[in-house]
Amino acid sequence: MALRTDRLTALVMGGFPPVDGPYKAMLQVTEATHRMTSEPPQRTSQPTASSDEFDWNSIDIALTGAQTRQFVTLYRALGEFDDRTIQGRIFCPRMCFVGSQDVIEYGDRWGGVRVAPADLDLDAARSAGWDIEVLDGLDHTQAMQPAHVLPILKPWLEKVVGV
């Protein structure tokens, strides 16, 4: 979006690194998800008891084949995307936030893929103009909750755009 318009006031990304995004790993995950939409549900384990924990291997796919195909199309298109080279073309203030424990180990059902936004290259992102917020102790799902996002988002927006 930031590359296609000059109308952005600010850009905030959560749970996805702005530099060296996991495009190939996410393609594997979305292709597996797409395949699963044509299979009967296969719960590989019981959901965890705590609402603070999320077991990616135990979920049933609630999306349709058409919906998952959109994500496959997106990640196929991003396969050769070099997000390092485009950083100089994003002119609005930007922030990325991620949980320090945001590491998803997808099981065999998903192709054994590891997606780890928590491993983002902080120096590269900051050098490219991103403000980075690492939310200590939070995983992917926890770090996306309003109770954690709003306290960092509001002061940042007030600072960079006066909102």
Side-chain angles (χ1 to χ4, degrees):
M1 182 184 326
L3 296 176
R4 302 285 187 244
T5 183
D6 60 356
R7 299 181 338 168
L8 280 182
T9 303
L11 175 64
V12 178
M13 288 177 41
F16 199 93
V19 176
D20 299 331
Y23 305 113
K24 289 181 176 142
M26 288 305 299
L27 175 59
Q28 285 182 260
V29 170
T30 57
E31 286 177 335
T33 305
H34 184 60
R35 280 192 305 277
M36 286 182 231
T37 62
S38 64
E39 301 170 355
Q42 298 177 350
R43 190 171 295 284
T44 57
S45 65
Q46 294 300 314
T48 56
S50 169
S51 63
D52 290 340
E53 299 176 18
F54 192 87
D55 181 359
W56 290 94
N57 294 312
S58 71
I59 65 169
D60 291 327
I61 305 304
L63 300 171
T64 67
Q67 290 169 320
T68 59
R69 188 173 25 257
Q70 292 177 44
F71 291 102
V72 171
T73 301
L74 169 67
Y75 283 108
R76 282 185 182 156
L78 290 171
E80 300 301 317
F81 183 64
D82 182 356
D83 51 28
R84 284 184 179 254
T85 63
I86 58 88
Q87 295 297 323
R89 294 175 40 205
I90 303 173
F91 301 108
C92 64
R94 49 207 183 268
M95 176 179 59
C96 174
F97 64 92
V98 63
S100 67
Q101 303 301 310
D102 191 347
V103 177
I104 303 169
E105 301 279 353
Y106 291 94
D108 292 339
R109 180 179 180 203
W110 307 90
V113 175
R114 179 179 193 268
V115 178
D119 293 345
L120 84 108
D121 185 337
L122 296 173
D123 292 335
R126 286 185 177 119
S127 293
W130 290 84
D131 292 327
I132 305 294
E133 289 284 342
V134 178
L135 303 173
D136 192 39
L138 302 182
D139 67 17
H140 188 75
T141 306
Q142 295 163 333
M144 299 303 119
Q145 298 303 311
H148 301 293
V149 176
L150 295 177
I152 61 170
L153 185 58
K154 187 175 180 195
W156 183 80
L157 285 171
E158 288 171 348
K159 178 180 88 176
V160 299
V161 294
V163 173

